[in-house]
Structures are given as structure tokens and as C-alpha cells.
Amino acid sequence: MLKPEQMSRLLIVASKDQITPVITELYRHNLFHIEDYVEAAAKGYEGFKIGTPLSGATEASGDLVKIRAIQNAFSIYSDDFEVTQRQKQSGLQVQIERELPAIELEVEGLTVKRSKLETKVKEFEQKIAELTPFIGIPGDLDLYRGYSRFIVFAGYVAHEVSISVANEMFFGKGKAGNFIVVVTPIEHRNVVEGALQGAGFQAVTIPDESGIPQERIDFYSGEITLIKKEIEDVNQKMDAIKEKHASFLVACEEVLKGQVERTEAPLRFATTNETFVAEGWVPAASVVTISQALEKATNGKIFVTELAVGEKDVVPVEYNNPSFARPSQLLIDTYSRPKYNELDPTIMISIVFPIFFGLILGDVGYGALLLVLCLGLRKYLKGEGGQQLLAVLRNASISSIIFGVLYSEFLGFALPWPALLPSRHLNIGAHATGHGPNIPGLMMMAIWIGIVHVTLGRILSIVNHAQQDHGAHRIKAVLANVGWVLMIWGTLLLIWSMIPMPLMPDFTGLPPVLMGLNVTGLIGIVAIVVGVIFIARDSGLELVELPSIFSHVLSYTRIVAVGLSSVAIAMVVNFIAIGMLISPQLENITIIGVLFIIIGIVVFLIGHALNMALGILGGGLHSLRLHYVEFFTKFYKGGGRKYNPFGMKRRFTED
Amino acid sequence: MVDVNMTLEMVEASQVGMKALAAAIAVGSTGIAAALAEMAIGSAAVGATAENKDVFGLVLLLTVIPETIVIFGLVVALLLIF
């Protein structure tokens, strides 16, 4: 927990004739995180060289490219592909050689045909667009050209034009603007052009067609319908191929991807003429398994040893969490993966995030709806990230139901028992009665949560600094964090000694000792002074951050504010839908009354759907933000390297 | 300006009104401020997401950061009214 998986650094040396069994074995175990070998760039360097790919690498990657092209054409994505039956890898190898070229040819033929047809459709649509302005003008399109003594103008103008010279003009008003066609003897060209220019003339190309415009358009529309039918045919054929080969294609991709990764692995090793050296990381618990497996695969012709982990080594990080906390790793990865020697806060976020979410969206109705939504979406949202997100939301929704019971809320209505936590019920509507929300109680609850959470962050920071730093800096850094804790609690003691507050200890009654302050006040002052000194000793600039103890703790009042706003929206929706629209009509049902009732139901459904969406977004993002901004900034840095072992989890194939 | 004809009830009622107005100003002005701040972040966030879809979660979070302003406004308003 709290710490990432322990890693060991492994060095593997063997002669080159053992490279294939070693790679196969490492790939099968999917545990070895290869440290890529980087060749020294110095001139005249003589030493280890990067290895060369094994035979078959080019063919495999060529086939992989082909398969991915086909997958793209069909939009088959292995991530959201249901695994029905695992296929034998040996059978697939033969199938790839035999069937892949045929499938590729077929698919290529169909895609080429489809794109040709699509281009044709576009061409015809363009022609229709060109013809459309001429619909309103009587006459054959042949009449627009082929003159030696006349010139034809066609285009849009802003308003009607009168031309002083001899001409024939057609003018029509349309949706796209005023369309005009002018035919005039060639010697009047300049006069007509000038007149048209004055009316903002925009020329239109005269289509290279003959016949009545409307007839031509009808002809092209007919053609387009025919071509679209053909495209539909091609699509159906493609669908048939997809249906038939999809599971084969995803399995092929998996096999070939594995082959490519294995054959190209030597590019990541250091080699000499006769030997190779592979360096990498494995979880400490698996060192023995891996070493024994390698010895067995090579009949002992191999040297495997564990290297010491140096201070400056960047160790890859793999989470090590109990199963209930695993989905929350998504939230940590969104921020940044922990460093190897850092506390992993996953388990804390996995417990506290649902609590915050529940405190904000504490409503049995919304919680239950969200829970149903999460369980329902599990079938549709595939891929690891999606599943993790749904699991996080599922936990959050369960917490929301629990807090809904405690707050006594169901879609903004009160449940038949009083709220066990400070009440959030508002008095909305003219006849509302009741106590109204217990705002001071809620605020103090949120502030207490903030104080505890921020203090916890500082304590974790003490642990982190004690583990990571060295020498004098370590003491200073630890003391600075102790200083921050003293600052927070000293300030609290000082406030408690002067102002009585609900849900907080009250020390105002104690007799004053010095300068009007009582014992608690004095302890508080001393704590603050010591705290400031500790902080300043580590870094004077940090003192600028002192007001953050107020702003960060007060920031937790968002739990109340965001929650209360969602309660208010729910209650307003209920009041409009039921109080104003539905219940007055129920006393005396008329036809118009029924209409009002239907409107009321619609308002109720849409209002609550919107409020739930807002609640999930608000509850989720603000809980997350409290972690990222208020909690993590105290102790967490992140920036660790992801543990990415050589190998893959096979989903579609087996040996 | 003191109106001598004001009764005690009227004074009390106007004080309630004043509180409500103060609360409205607290929420309204901070709302505008939060919107102004989110405006820039939001447009940058959309740009960043267009370049790289993976940052969506992160920028969604960055977008809500200035919401603190309006939340403090809301807190002040709640404390004023209740």
C-alpha cells in the first residue's frame, strides 16, 4: 500500500545464439521492463553496439501494417472488441500467410470502388449546384454560348439594373440573391459591365450543358440516387467481410504485434559480435521466477544477476494497491504517477474521494440513478480507462446514497426521518415551513474536514521528506512541515481563545493571563511563532504562502456550497413541477389541466436530469480538485516513470 | 436620509432586503469574475484538447479552478442570509 511495487534491477548476459529463447521467455512472462540501451555517440567508440532485429521482422511489420489498414477501413478496434473465443496461435500463423493477401485484395478493391463512386457523387452535386441559379430562366442552356457578335453575363446582383444600350435581360429574385442574365452585342460590353458593376455584380460560370436546366438537374439527381445505391451495395459487402473476418483480424493483429515486438527487441539490447546484454527492471518478488525460467529456457547457458539500485536510477513505477483502490489509480495517473521513493496516495484518494462526492451529492435518488447508470454503461464503455472511471463513479454513487440517507434527501424531497448530518433542506416556495438549512453546522463540518485533510497532507509531507532527503536539508524540510502544522493549529487555538464558534472547542471562558490572552491563546501564539521560524529556516520565500492556510482550509467549504446549490436546484424543480404545475390541477381536472400536468412532468424529468449531470460534474470535479490542489500540493510531486513490461496481455489468442 | 414616518417593522423588513441584496451582489459579482477567469482557460483548454485528446481530464479540471471565486461568493451569501 502507500508504496509502489518494489523493483529489482536485472542484468541478463548470454551468447547470441540464445537470444531467441531469452526474448520468447521474457515476452511470455510480461514482467521485464527493458532499459533501452543507448549507444555512446563519441567518435572512435568501440564497445557495445545496438543489436539487429531477428529474421522475419520486416515481413511481420509489413503484415501488421496491412492488417491495421484493413482494420481502419472497417473501423474495427481491438479495444472495444468482445472476446468470444481464443484462437490457437499456431493455426493463425498459417492462416495469416494463406488468407491475408486475399482479404487485403478484396478490401482494397472495394474501398477503391467506394471512393470512386463517392467522387462521382460529389462531381454531380457540384453540377447541380452550378445549374440551380438558371432554373428560373426560360430557355435552353445552349442559348448561353456560341455567339460571335454577342456576349452573355450571368450572376448575382444586389438590386435591379437598367441598361441604356440594346440588350436582353432576365431578372429573378431567389433565396440566394437576385440572379441576372444579360445578353448584349459585343460592342456594348463596357457599358453593360459598368452598369452591372454598379449593382455589385458577382459572375457565375455558365454550366457546360445543353438542355433545360431543370431537366438536367433531375437527370443528375437520378444518377446520384443510383450511385448511392451502389455505394450501399459496396458497404453491405464490406459489412459482410467485416462480419466474417473481424475476429480473425483482431487475433492476427495481436499475433503480429507480438511478433514485431519480439523480433525488434534486440534493438533495445547492447550487443557484441558474440554476446548480448539486456538490462531492465522486474518486480522484486518475481526475480527468482524470471531467473529460473531463463536458465531453463537456455539450458543454463546464461548469466542473470541482480544489480544494486543506485541513488540516481529512475526506477519504473508500478502501483501496489488492494483491489478496491485500483480504479482510483486512474485519478492519480491523471495528475501524475508517483515517483519510486514517494508515498503513493491512491489508497487515500480511493477512500476520501467517494466521501467528498457523497457529501456534495448526498441524495438517495441521484445516487441510485448514477449507480444504475454506471452498471449499465459497463457493457458499452470498454477499455481499461473507461472501466476504471465507471468503478470510481460506482463507489462515489454508493457513497452518495449513504450520505443521502444521512442528509435525508431524495431528489430534493425529505425522507421520513430527520437529517442526521446538519440539514441541507431549504425553504423554497411561498408556503415552505421548517428550520431551513443549518448553514453554520454545515460550514463548520466542511472546515473541520479541511483542517484534518490539510494536516494529513502535511504529515505525509514529513514522511516523504524524511525518506527522500539527506543531511541538513532533510531536517530543515521536515521541520518546515512541522512548522506548517503548528501554524494551522496555533491559529486555530488563537481563534478558539477569542471567538466562540459552533462545533468547535470554546476557550473564551478561561481567565486572561498576559496581554488579554488566555492560556490557549498564548499557546497558539507560541505555536505560530515557532511555525514561522521553522518555515523561514527552510525557505524564506515560503512565508509568502502563509495566507494559504486560510484559503486552503476555507476552500473545503465548497463541499457545502456546491452541495447546497444542487439541493436548491432540485427543490426549485420540484416546486415548479409539482407545487406550481401539477398539484393545483389535480384538485379539479380539466383538459387544459391535463396539459399542465404533462408540462409539469416534463419539467420534472428534464430538471432532474440536468441537475444530476451538474451534480456528477460538480461533485466529481470539485472533490478531485480538493485532492489535486489542496491535498497533493502539500506532499505529492509525482513524475514517476510508468512500469511497462516487455510482453502483452493476450486477449484473443493462446498457445 | 431618514424617513421619520418609518415604523420599526418597515426598518426590519428593509434590513432583510438589504441582506438579500448584499447576498445577490456577492454571488453575482463573483460569478462574473469566475466567468471571466474561466473564459480564457476554457478556450485554451479546447485548443489543447484539439491538439491532444489525452489532456481532456486535466484541462477539465483546470477549467473549474477559478470556480473557487464564485464558491466563496456563495459561501458569503449563505452566511449573510442564514
Side-chain angles (χ1 to χ4, degrees):
Chain A
M1 295 206 287
L2 289 183
K3 280 256 125 189
E5 184 94 39
Q6 281 288 310
M7 289 281 166
S8 293
R9 193 182 182 126
L10 221 57
L11 181 79
I12 300 167
V13 185
S15 74
K16 260 190 178 163
D17 53 343
Q18 301 297 340
I19 198 165
T20 315
V22 168
I23 288 175
T24 316
E25 200 60 20
L26 287 177
Y27 199 78
R28 198 168 66 80
H29 282 277
N30 191 16
L31 284 170
F32 189 67
H33 176 109
I34 302 180
E35 195 74 45
D36 288 5
Y37 174 69
V38 185
E39 219 172 82
K43 250 190 183 171
Y45 167 78
E46 282 181 24
F48 288 113
K49 291 262 191 308
I50 288 175
T52 45
L54 303 179
S55 62
T58 329
E59 291 81 0
S61 38
D63 283 348
L64 188 60
V65 170
K66 276 183 208 159
I67 286 203
R68 292 215 168 128
I70 299 174
Q71 282 184 335
N72 254 338
F74 288 140
S75 43
I76 303 172
Y77 302 108
S78 48
D79 270 351
D80 35 55
F81 198 82
E82 202 75 53
V83 189
T84 43
Q85 200 189 354
R86 285 174 164 235
Q87 307 192 24
K88 288 263 181 255
Q89 186 164 354
S90 46
L92 272 176
Q93 295 279 19
V94 183
Q95 242 182 325
I96 289 174
E97 276 166 34
R98 208 177 48 211
E99 286 181 19
L100 188 60
I103 297 176
E104 194 203 355
L105 214 67
E106 200 175 350
V107 172
E108 204 180 279
L110 287 173
T111 38
V112 168
K113 190 171 172 194
R114 188 169 61 181
S115 64
K116 262 188 194 159
L117 291 172
E118 277 166 355
T119 337
K120 224 169 195 176
V121 169
K122 284 222 182 87
E123 207 177 288
F124 286 174
E125 277 170 351
Q126 175 67 32
K127 283 200 170 150
I128 291 180
E130 276 175 16
L131 281 165
T132 313
F134 292 88
I135 294 176
I137 294 171
D140 200 291
L141 284 162
D142 278 330
L143 297 175
Y144 288 89
R145 60 178 171 273
Y147 303 112
S148 51
R149 285 200 50 233
F150 294 99
I151 182 159
V152 182
F153 294 95
Y156 291 100
V157 281
H159 50 79
E160 260 183 275
V161 235
S162 61
I163 295 163
S164 51
V165 291
N167 71 80
E168 187 157 5
M169 186 197 300
F170 297 93
F171 183 82
K173 287 187 176 174
K175 262 189 231 159
N178 305 322
F179 190 67
I180 194 168
V181 174
V182 182
V183 184
T184 185
I186 225 156
E187 59 267 26
H188 298 321
R189 180 186 184 141
N190 290 340
V191 184
V192 174
E193 256 179 4
L196 287 173
Q197 219 85 111
F201 179 72
Q202 278 179 308
V204 164
T205 38
I206 295 164
D208 189 16
E209 304 269 346
S210 51
I212 307 296
Q214 188 59 54
E215 281 173 8
R216 297 301 300 159
I217 289 180
D218 289 346
F219 168 74
Y220 285 127
S221 304
E223 285 289 296
I224 288 177
T225 327
L226 285 179
I227 297 173
K228 284 210 168 139
K229 235 178 230 160
E230 259 182 88
I231 293 180
E232 199 48 45
D233 271 357
V234 174
N235 280 342
Q236 263 169 17
K237 270 184 205 163
M238 301 258 289
D239 280 345
I241 299 178
K242 179 177 173 179
E243 197 73 21
K244 197 170 148 202
H245 296 297
S247 61
F248 168 66
L249 287 171
V250 285
C252 276
E253 195 209 348
E254 195 172 278
V255 170
L256 288 170
K257 199 176 148 213
Q259 235 170 43
V260 169
E261 278 179 19
R262 277 195 301 271
T263 47
E264 287 179 352
L267 290 171
R268 310 169 70 182
F269 295 163
T271 58
T272 64
N273 286 341
E274 298 300 331
T275 59
F276 74 94
V277 179
E279 218 183 307
W281 301 91
V282 284
S286 315
V287 171
V288 178
T289 335
I290 284 271
S291 322
Q292 279 174 355
L294 287 174
E295 300 235 342
K296 205 174 152 203
T298 56
N299 291 323
K301 294 181 201 157
I302 192 166
F303 174 73
V304 182
T305 187
E306 215 183 309
L307 299 177
V309 180
E311 195 53 41
K312 287 194 179 142
D313 281 341
V314 186
V315 186
V317 174
E318 173 68 353
Y319 291 109
N320 180 20
N321 286 309
S323 60
F324 77 90
R326 252 170 240 157
S328 306
Q329 289 165 2
L330 175 79
L331 304 179
I332 304 283
D333 271 338
T334 308
Y335 187 84
S336 183
R337 198 168 269 244
K339 270 191 272 196
Y340 185 63
N341 56 359
E342 192 172 33
L343 288 173
D344 170 13
T346 313
I347 196 149
M348 280 172 274
I349 208 173
S350 73
I351 296 167
V352 181
F353 176 80
I355 294 178
F356 283 1
F357 189 91
L359 279 167
I360 293 174
L361 192 77
D363 186 301
V364 178
Y366 291 145
L369 284 173
L370 181 57
L371 187 62
V372 172
L373 196 71
C374 286
L375 297 179
L377 276 177
R378 275 214 296 217
K379 267 193 187 153
Y380 302 99
L381 212 63
K382 296 193 179 92
E384 209 187 358
Q387 292 288 336
Q388 281 181 321
L389 183 68
L390 286 180
V392 169
L393 277 180
R394 181 200 61 208
N395 296 349
S397 64
I398 292 170
S399 151
S400 178
I401 294 175
I402 295 171
F403 277 97
V405 171
L406 295 178
Y407 280 132
S408 175
E409 279 172 26
F410 183 91
L411 297 181
F413 298 107
L415 288 167
W417 56 80
L420 301 169
L421 288 169
S423 162
R424 300 200 295 180
H425 295 285
L426 297 145
N427 293 331
I428 284 177
H431 312 293
T433 50
H435 294 299
N438 178 3
I439 297 288
L442 286 165
M443 288 289 170
M444 284 306 154
M445 180 182 78
I447 287 173
W448 266 119
I449 293 172
I451 294 168
V452 172
H453 209 219
V454 168
T455 310
L456 177 66
R458 285 293 169 198
I459 292 172
L460 293 175
S461 179
I462 294 173
V463 177
N464 258 346
H465 280 292
Q467 279 176 353
Q468 290 173 349
D469 297 334
H470 298 283
H473 179 63
R474 176 170 151 179
I475 298 166
K476 272 187 188 166
V478 168
L479 281 182
N481 282 292
V482 173
W484 279 107
V485 176
L486 285 174
M487 273 296 301
I488 296 171
W489 288 90
T491 314
L492 278 173
L493 284 176
L494 190 61
I495 294 173
W496 290 341
S497 77
M498 296 196 284
I499 310 163
M501 274 188 288
L503 290 178
M504 293 239 172
D506 181 5
F507 296 124
T508 46
L510 296 176
V513 183
L514 195 69
M515 292 187 299
L517 291 167
N518 60 26
V519 182
T520 14
L522 283 178
I523 298 174
I525 295 264
V526 172
I528 292 173
V529 171
V530 174
V532 169
I533 293 170
F534 280 172
I535 297 166
R537 258 169 52 97
D538 185 41
S539 156
L541 268 180
E542 284 272 296
L543 290 177
V544 182
E545 295 277 319
L546 279 183
S548 77
I549 60 163
F550 292 106
S551 64
H552 281 188
V553 168
L554 285 178
S555 185
Y556 285 79
T557 53
R558 75 183 58 233
I559 292 176
V560 176
V562 176
L564 215 51
S565 64
S566 113
V567 176
I569 295 173
M571 294 182 78
V572 167
V573 168
N574 290 342
F575 178 65
I576 293 176
I578 296 171
M580 286 166 73
L581 289 169
I582 297 179
S583 62
Q585 303 301 333
L586 286 178
E587 290 160 12
N588 178 15
I589 291 178
T590 57
I591 295 181
I592 296 176
V594 172
L595 191 69
F596 271 101
I597 291 172
I598 293 171
I599 295 174
I601 293 171
V602 171
V603 169
F604 185 81
L605 292 178
I606 294 179
H608 279 299
L610 259 170
N611 191 28
M612 193 175 128
L614 271 177
I616 297 169
L617 216 66
L621 288 178
H622 284 288
S623 312
L624 212 55
R625 178 221 135 97
L626 284 177
H627 277 93
Y628 286 176
V629 181
E630 271 78 21
F631 188 50
F632 282 2
T633 48
K634 306 283 179 295
F635 69 98
Y636 186 67
K637 296 211 173 53
R641 189 157 63 120
K642 195 180 169 193
Y643 168 68
N644 186 13
F646 177 61
M648 76 164 114
K649 274 189 204 144
R650 288 199 288 178
R651 294 174 57 217
F652 307 111
T653 58
E654 59 192 6
D655 286 324
Chain B
M1 241 185 12
V2 179
D3 187 348
V4 282
N5 294 325
M6 257 182 143
T7 61
L8 190 64
E9 289 79 40
M10 287 165 83
V11 173
E12 277 172 356
S14 87
Q15 277 181 345
V16 173
M18 284 293 188
K19 269 188 176 179
L21 271 178
I25 292 170
V27 175
S29 56
T30 50
I32 293 169
L36 283 176
E38 265 178 45
M39 178 176 70
I41 301 175
S43 55
V46 171
T49 320
E51 294 244 329
N52 178 6
K53 275 186 189 158
D54 296 343
V55 299
F56 177 74
L58 189 70
V59 294
L60 189 65
L61 203 86
L62 291 177
T63 315
V64 300
I65 286 206
E67 233 157 77
T68 312
I69 307 169
V70 69
I71 284 169
F72 282 166
L74 189 60
V75 168
V76 168
L78 288 172
L79 287 173
L80 275 174
I81 292 184
F82 296 102

